[in-house]
Short mmCIF file of all heavy atoms in Angstrom, two decimals:
data_model
loop_
_atom_site.label_atom_id
_atom_site.label_comp_id
_atom_site.label_asym_id
_atom_site.label_seq_id
_atom_site.Cartn_x
_atom_site.Cartn_y
_atom_site.Cartn_z
N LYS N 1 -19.81 -10.00 26.52
CA LYS N 1 -20.43 -9.55 27.78
C LYS N 1 -21.96 -9.66 27.73
O LYS N 1 -22.44 -9.97 28.72
CB LYS N 1 -19.92 -8.05 28.03
CG LYS N 1 -18.44 -7.99 28.33
CD LYS N 1 -18.05 -6.54 28.56
CE LYS N 1 -16.53 -6.53 28.85
NZ LYS N 1 -16.04 -5.02 29.05
N VAL N 2 -22.51 -9.17 26.63
CA VAL N 2 -23.98 -9.31 26.52
C VAL N 2 -24.44 -10.74 26.42
O VAL N 2 -25.44 -11.03 26.95
CB VAL N 2 -24.44 -8.54 25.28
CG1 VAL N 2 -25.93 -8.58 25.12
CG2 VAL N 2 -24.04 -7.00 25.39
N GLY N 3 -23.56 -11.61 25.99
CA GLY N 3 -23.90 -13.01 25.88
C GLY N 3 -23.85 -13.61 27.15
O GLY N 3 -24.79 -14.59 27.50
N VAL N 4 -23.22 -13.07 28.29
CA VAL N 4 -23.20 -13.51 29.60
C VAL N 4 -24.74 -13.31 30.12
O VAL N 4 -25.32 -14.08 30.73
CB VAL N 4 -22.28 -12.98 30.44
CG1 VAL N 4 -22.55 -13.35 31.95
CG2 VAL N 4 -20.87 -13.46 30.01
N ASP N 5 -25.20 -12.21 29.83
CA ASP N 5 -26.61 -11.77 30.22
C ASP N 5 -27.56 -12.78 29.51
O ASP N 5 -28.50 -13.33 30.26
CB ASP N 5 -26.99 -10.33 29.77
CG ASP N 5 -26.12 -9.33 30.49
OD1 ASP N 5 -25.49 -9.59 31.54
OD2 ASP N 5 -25.96 -8.22 29.94
N ALA N 6 -27.43 -13.15 28.32
CA ALA N 6 -28.39 -14.11 27.61
C ALA N 6 -28.25 -15.41 28.30
O ALA N 6 -29.19 -16.06 28.48
CB ALA N 6 -27.93 -14.22 26.06
N LEU N 7 -27.02 -15.81 28.65
CA LEU N 7 -26.80 -17.18 29.31
C LEU N 7 -27.58 -17.22 30.68
O LEU N 7 -28.27 -18.08 31.15
CB LEU N 7 -25.32 -17.49 29.47
CG LEU N 7 -25.07 -18.84 30.16
CD1 LEU N 7 -25.76 -19.90 29.59
CD2 LEU N 7 -23.55 -18.92 30.45
N ARG N 8 -27.48 -16.01 31.47
CA ARG N 8 -28.07 -15.93 32.81
C ARG N 8 -29.57 -16.20 32.68
O ARG N 8 -30.27 -16.91 33.24
CB ARG N 8 -27.82 -14.57 33.36
CG ARG N 8 -28.44 -14.49 34.78
CD ARG N 8 -28.31 -12.97 35.28
NE ARG N 8 -26.99 -12.53 35.22
CZ ARG N 8 -26.57 -11.44 34.35
NH1 ARG N 8 -27.50 -10.89 33.47
NH2 ARG N 8 -25.37 -11.13 34.48
N GLY N 9 -30.15 -15.60 31.59
CA GLY N 9 -31.74 -15.69 31.33
C GLY N 9 -31.95 -17.07 30.90
O GLY N 9 -33.02 -17.66 31.29
N CYS N 10 -31.11 -17.80 30.07
CA CYS N 10 -31.39 -19.22 29.62
C CYS N 10 -31.26 -20.15 30.83
O CYS N 10 -32.20 -20.86 30.90
CB CYS N 10 -30.41 -19.38 28.59
SG CYS N 10 -30.56 -21.06 27.80
N VAL N 11 -30.29 -19.88 31.68
CA VAL N 11 -30.23 -20.82 32.82
C VAL N 11 -31.47 -20.66 33.69
O VAL N 11 -32.04 -21.68 34.11
CB VAL N 11 -28.94 -20.51 33.68
CG1 VAL N 11 -28.93 -21.18 34.91
CG2 VAL N 11 -27.70 -20.78 32.87
N ARG N 12 -31.84 -19.52 33.95
CA ARG N 12 -33.10 -19.31 34.75
C ARG N 12 -34.31 -19.84 34.19
O ARG N 12 -35.08 -20.47 34.87
CB ARG N 12 -33.20 -17.84 34.99
CG ARG N 12 -34.36 -17.53 35.94
CD ARG N 12 -34.28 -16.17 36.49
NE ARG N 12 -33.06 -15.83 37.28
CZ ARG N 12 -32.27 -14.91 37.18
NH1 ARG N 12 -32.34 -13.96 36.21
NH2 ARG N 12 -31.28 -14.80 38.04
N HIS N 13 -34.48 -19.71 32.77
CA HIS N 13 -35.70 -20.23 32.19
C HIS N 13 -35.65 -21.74 32.25
O HIS N 13 -36.58 -22.40 32.46
CB HIS N 13 -35.80 -19.65 30.84
CG HIS N 13 -37.20 -19.99 30.06
ND1 HIS N 13 -38.26 -19.57 30.77
CD2 HIS N 13 -37.41 -20.59 29.03
CE1 HIS N 13 -39.36 -19.95 30.01
NE2 HIS N 13 -38.88 -20.65 28.91
N CYS N 14 -34.50 -22.30 31.93
CA CYS N 14 -34.32 -23.88 32.04
C CYS N 14 -34.77 -24.30 33.27
O CYS N 14 -35.48 -25.34 33.35
CB CYS N 14 -32.91 -24.25 31.52
SG CYS N 14 -32.64 -24.09 29.89
N GLY N 15 -34.33 -23.75 34.33
CA GLY N 15 -34.68 -24.09 35.68
C GLY N 15 -36.24 -24.01 35.94
O GLY N 15 -36.84 -24.81 36.51
N ASP N 16 -36.90 -22.89 35.35
CA ASP N 16 -38.27 -22.63 35.52
C ASP N 16 -39.18 -23.74 34.75
O ASP N 16 -40.17 -24.10 35.41
CB ASP N 16 -38.62 -21.36 35.21
CG ASP N 16 -38.02 -20.28 35.98
OD1 ASP N 16 -37.58 -20.51 37.20
OD2 ASP N 16 -37.96 -19.09 35.56
N VAL N 17 -38.69 -24.18 33.64
CA VAL N 17 -39.53 -25.05 32.86
C VAL N 17 -39.27 -26.56 33.21
O VAL N 17 -40.11 -27.36 32.69
CB VAL N 17 -39.46 -24.81 31.29
CG1 VAL N 17 -39.76 -23.33 31.03
CG2 VAL N 17 -38.06 -25.11 30.79
N GLY N 18 -38.22 -27.00 33.92
CA GLY N 18 -38.03 -28.26 34.35
C GLY N 18 -36.84 -28.93 33.66
O GLY N 18 -36.73 -30.17 33.76
N VAL N 19 -36.00 -28.19 32.79
CA VAL N 19 -34.81 -28.82 32.27
C VAL N 19 -33.84 -29.15 33.42
O VAL N 19 -33.71 -28.34 34.34
CB VAL N 19 -34.21 -27.86 31.31
CG1 VAL N 19 -32.80 -28.40 30.72
CG2 VAL N 19 -35.18 -27.55 30.10
N LYS N 20 -33.31 -30.36 33.32
CA LYS N 20 -32.44 -30.78 34.45
C LYS N 20 -30.86 -30.53 34.25
O LYS N 20 -30.19 -30.48 35.08
CB LYS N 20 -32.67 -32.26 34.85
CG LYS N 20 -34.10 -32.42 35.21
CD LYS N 20 -34.38 -31.61 36.73
CE LYS N 20 -35.74 -31.91 37.17
NZ LYS N 20 -36.04 -30.97 38.35
N VAL N 21 -30.60 -30.56 32.98
CA VAL N 21 -29.14 -30.41 32.54
C VAL N 21 -29.17 -29.37 31.31
O VAL N 21 -29.88 -29.49 30.37
CB VAL N 21 -28.58 -31.69 32.10
CG1 VAL N 21 -27.05 -31.51 31.83
CG2 VAL N 21 -28.64 -32.77 33.13
N LEU N 22 -28.26 -28.44 31.53
CA LEU N 22 -28.02 -27.53 30.47
C LEU N 22 -26.45 -27.46 30.13
O LEU N 22 -25.51 -27.21 31.05
CB LEU N 22 -28.38 -26.05 30.76
CG LEU N 22 -27.96 -25.01 29.78
CD1 LEU N 22 -28.68 -25.20 28.50
CD2 LEU N 22 -28.43 -23.55 30.38
N THR N 23 -26.01 -27.73 28.88
CA THR N 23 -24.63 -27.69 28.58
C THR N 23 -24.34 -26.72 27.62
O THR N 23 -25.18 -26.75 26.60
CB THR N 23 -24.22 -29.07 28.03
OG1 THR N 23 -24.48 -30.13 29.13
CG2 THR N 23 -22.72 -29.11 27.60
N VAL N 24 -23.42 -25.85 27.77
CA VAL N 24 -23.23 -24.70 26.81
C VAL N 24 -21.75 -24.73 26.36
O VAL N 24 -20.91 -25.08 27.10
CB VAL N 24 -23.63 -23.26 27.38
CG1 VAL N 24 -24.97 -23.26 27.65
CG2 VAL N 24 -22.73 -23.01 28.66
N PHE N 25 -21.58 -24.34 25.08
CA PHE N 25 -20.20 -24.25 24.48
C PHE N 25 -19.75 -22.85 24.64
O PHE N 25 -20.17 -21.93 23.83
CB PHE N 25 -20.28 -24.70 22.89
CG PHE N 25 -19.14 -25.26 22.50
CD1 PHE N 25 -17.98 -25.38 23.11
CD2 PHE N 25 -19.05 -25.61 21.14
CE1 PHE N 25 -16.79 -25.97 22.64
CE2 PHE N 25 -17.89 -26.12 20.45
CZ PHE N 25 -16.70 -26.25 21.24
N ALA N 26 -18.88 -22.64 25.55
CA ALA N 26 -18.40 -21.19 25.86
C ALA N 26 -17.09 -20.96 25.18
O ALA N 26 -16.91 -19.74 24.67
CB ALA N 26 -18.19 -20.90 27.34
N PHE N 27 -16.18 -21.84 25.03
CA PHE N 27 -14.87 -21.53 24.40
C PHE N 27 -14.34 -22.81 23.80
O PHE N 27 -14.05 -23.77 24.64
CB PHE N 27 -13.92 -20.89 25.41
CG PHE N 27 -12.58 -20.53 24.85
CD1 PHE N 27 -12.45 -19.25 24.26
CD2 PHE N 27 -11.51 -21.20 24.92
CE1 PHE N 27 -11.24 -18.80 23.73
CE2 PHE N 27 -10.28 -20.85 24.39
CZ PHE N 27 -10.08 -19.53 23.81
N SER N 28 -14.18 -22.95 22.52
CA SER N 28 -13.66 -24.24 21.96
C SER N 28 -12.20 -24.24 21.96
O SER N 28 -11.36 -23.26 22.07
CB SER N 28 -14.27 -24.41 20.58
OG SER N 28 -13.46 -23.59 19.72
N SER N 29 -11.63 -25.47 21.75
CA SER N 29 -10.15 -25.62 21.66
C SER N 29 -9.68 -24.96 20.34
O SER N 29 -8.45 -24.63 20.33
CB SER N 29 -9.78 -27.18 21.65
OG SER N 29 -10.52 -27.83 20.74
N GLU N 30 -10.46 -24.71 19.46
CA GLU N 30 -10.06 -23.97 18.19
C GLU N 30 -10.08 -22.46 18.46
O GLU N 30 -9.45 -21.73 17.63
CB GLU N 30 -10.97 -24.22 17.03
CG GLU N 30 -10.75 -25.76 16.55
CD GLU N 30 -11.42 -26.76 17.38
OE1 GLU N 30 -12.36 -26.40 18.04
OE2 GLU N 30 -11.11 -27.92 17.39
N ASN N 31 -10.77 -22.05 19.49
CA ASN N 31 -10.80 -20.44 19.61
C ASN N 31 -9.55 -19.78 20.02
O ASN N 31 -9.57 -18.54 19.98
CB ASN N 31 -11.90 -20.22 20.72
CG ASN N 31 -13.27 -20.40 20.12
OD1 ASN N 31 -14.25 -20.67 21.03
ND2 ASN N 31 -13.58 -20.45 18.92
N TRP N 32 -8.49 -20.59 20.52
CA TRP N 32 -7.31 -19.98 20.79
C TRP N 32 -6.65 -19.24 19.59
O TRP N 32 -5.87 -18.38 19.70
CB TRP N 32 -6.28 -21.05 21.27
CG TRP N 32 -6.64 -21.62 22.56
CD1 TRP N 32 -7.22 -22.86 22.81
CD2 TRP N 32 -6.45 -20.92 23.92
NE1 TRP N 32 -7.26 -23.06 24.16
CE2 TRP N 32 -7.00 -21.93 24.83
CE3 TRP N 32 -6.04 -19.73 24.27
CZ2 TRP N 32 -6.89 -21.59 26.20
CZ3 TRP N 32 -5.94 -19.44 25.65
CH2 TRP N 32 -6.46 -20.44 26.54
N SER N 33 -7.04 -19.60 18.30
CA SER N 33 -6.55 -19.00 17.13
C SER N 33 -7.25 -17.48 16.87
O SER N 33 -6.85 -16.77 15.86
CB SER N 33 -6.74 -19.90 15.99
OG SER N 33 -8.14 -20.24 15.70
N ARG N 34 -8.24 -17.20 17.62
CA ARG N 34 -8.81 -15.85 17.49
C ARG N 34 -7.82 -14.81 17.81
O ARG N 34 -6.86 -15.08 18.50
CB ARG N 34 -10.18 -15.82 18.31
CG ARG N 34 -11.20 -16.66 17.77
CD ARG N 34 -12.61 -16.46 18.44
NE ARG N 34 -13.56 -17.19 17.71
CZ ARG N 34 -14.91 -17.04 18.02
NH1 ARG N 34 -15.26 -16.21 18.90
NH2 ARG N 34 -15.82 -17.77 17.34
N PRO N 35 -8.16 -13.53 17.52
CA PRO N 35 -7.21 -12.41 18.00
C PRO N 35 -6.85 -12.40 19.34
O PRO N 35 -7.89 -12.72 20.16
CB PRO N 35 -8.16 -11.14 17.57
CG PRO N 35 -8.95 -11.51 16.43
CD PRO N 35 -9.26 -13.11 16.68
N ALA N 36 -5.64 -12.10 19.71
CA ALA N 36 -5.16 -12.20 20.97
C ALA N 36 -6.03 -11.45 22.02
O ALA N 36 -6.26 -11.70 23.21
CB ALA N 36 -3.70 -11.75 21.11
N ASP N 37 -6.43 -10.17 21.66
CA ASP N 37 -7.16 -9.25 22.42
C ASP N 37 -8.44 -9.88 22.80
O ASP N 37 -9.07 -9.73 23.91
CB ASP N 37 -7.32 -7.86 22.00
CG ASP N 37 -8.01 -7.88 20.64
OD1 ASP N 37 -8.17 -8.92 19.97
OD2 ASP N 37 -8.45 -6.78 20.31
N GLU N 38 -9.18 -10.64 21.76
CA GLU N 38 -10.46 -11.27 22.16
C GLU N 38 -10.28 -12.36 23.00
O GLU N 38 -11.13 -12.69 23.98
CB GLU N 38 -11.12 -11.79 20.84
CG GLU N 38 -12.50 -12.41 20.99
CD GLU N 38 -13.18 -12.86 19.71
OE1 GLU N 38 -12.59 -12.54 18.72
OE2 GLU N 38 -14.26 -13.47 19.93
N VAL N 39 -9.19 -13.20 22.93
CA VAL N 39 -8.94 -14.35 23.78
C VAL N 39 -8.68 -13.90 25.14
O VAL N 39 -9.28 -14.30 26.12
CB VAL N 39 -7.76 -15.24 23.21
CG1 VAL N 39 -7.42 -16.34 24.32
CG2 VAL N 39 -8.23 -15.93 21.95
#
């Protein structure tokens, strides 16, 4: 949840400095093996 806040700030700063594309790794195909409550 706090990571979403960090992403919000990163997106805004990228736009401010002139980055045109931002790609983020949010959930990998391997992350399904994590605890069920986390998934």
Side-chain angles (χ1 to χ4, degrees):
K1 291 179 179 178
V2 179
V4 172
D5 297 334
L7 177 57
R8 184 189 305 114
C10 184
V11 170
R12 183 165 292 127
H13 191 57
C14 281
D16 289 343
V17 301
V19 174
K20 294 303 181 184
V21 183
L22 175 64
T23 299
V24 296
F25 205 5
F27 187 84
S28 78
S29 49
E30 288 80 22
N31 286 158
W32 292 105
S33 60
R34 291 191 173 187
D37 59 342
E38 182 177 354
V39 172

